[in-house]
Amino acid sequence: MNTDRLFEPLTESDLQPLREIALAEHSAFFARNPYLEAAYAGHLIGICLCQGAASHYLDPRIGVKDFDIWFFYREDPRARIPHRARKRVPDGPKGRPIDFLRRAIPAPEAERYADDPAGAIMAYLLQRDTATKRALLQKAVVGLAPDALFGRILWRGTEDHAASGG
């Protein structure tokens, strides 16, 4: 067993602290980057747990190295969301680090799914072909916010985790 991974199952109640931390980071991001506040603070589409931790939520045999939390915003042509403005919290829930990452969904696509944040996020991930999006789709995507997404499995991933060992 790999000791750098957490194999304790994650439950929906474990998602709540991640949601609260993510919502606090959403506000803190704009305090650190006030030039982006007008363009993005009010245009959050959704926050998701992604990659290995999301797959672990579905299958605890995978293990968790860290929590990858992704923020998806409606794109604003006045400002680009910095893709590489990644923030890491070294000691998150269950002693695992948290990485925060952000993407902007093109406005026409976001508006097409204005009442369906899961649809907007998945359309964005499925209709674009980049290395980042391919990597995200290999593993699960689980909603954290808004309330309509909380605990909802948006994507189960394409990897055979049981066969690959995570």
Side-chain angles (χ1 to χ4, degrees), residues 113-137:
Y113 294 94
D115 296 326
D116 180 11
I121 292 166
M122 291 313 301
Y124 171 73
L125 292 175
L126 292 167
Q127 293 174 7
R128 309 252 179 261
D129 189 22
T130 67
T132 298
K133 291 169 199 155
R134 283 191 301 272
L136 276 174
L137 291 173

Side-chain angles (χ1 to χ4, degrees), residues 39-159:
Y40 288 101
H43 300 290
L44 179 67
I45 293 171
I47 304 172
C48 296
L49 179 64
C50 298
Q51 299 176 286
S55 292
H56 175 80
Y57 179 71
L58 302 178
D59 180 357
R61 295 174 295 172
I62 294 165
V64 174
K65 276 187 164 180
D66 59 13
F67 295 103
D68 293 300
I69 296 178
W70 287 72
F71 297 79
F72 296 93
Y73 298 92
R74 181 177 56 99
E75 187 175 55
D76 188 310
R78 298 175 293 167
R80 293 183 57 99
I81 199 90
H83 293 145
R84 298 192 189 345
R86 176 178 172 157
K87 181 174 192 288
R88 185 170 186 88
V89 173
D91 191 27
K94 299 186 180 281
R96 301 284 107 187
I98 303 172
D99 289 327
F100 298 106
L101 304 107
R102 290 169 172 76
R103 288 295 184 268
I105 296 175
E109 201 167 299
E111 289 164 12
R112 187 175 322 122
Y113 294 94
D115 296 326
D116 180 11
I121 292 166
M122 291 313 301
Y124 171 73
L125 292 175
L126 292 167
Q127 293 174 7
R128 309 252 179 261
D129 189 22
T130 67
T132 298
K133 291 169 199 155
R134 283 191 301 272
L136 276 174
L137 291 173
Q138 286 178 354
K139 299 186 180 175
V141 177
V142 177
L144 294 176
D147 291 343
L149 289 183
F150 183 75
R152 188 169 157 198
I153 299 162
L154 279 62
W155 182 257
R156 292 190 171 274
T158 57
E159 284 188 354

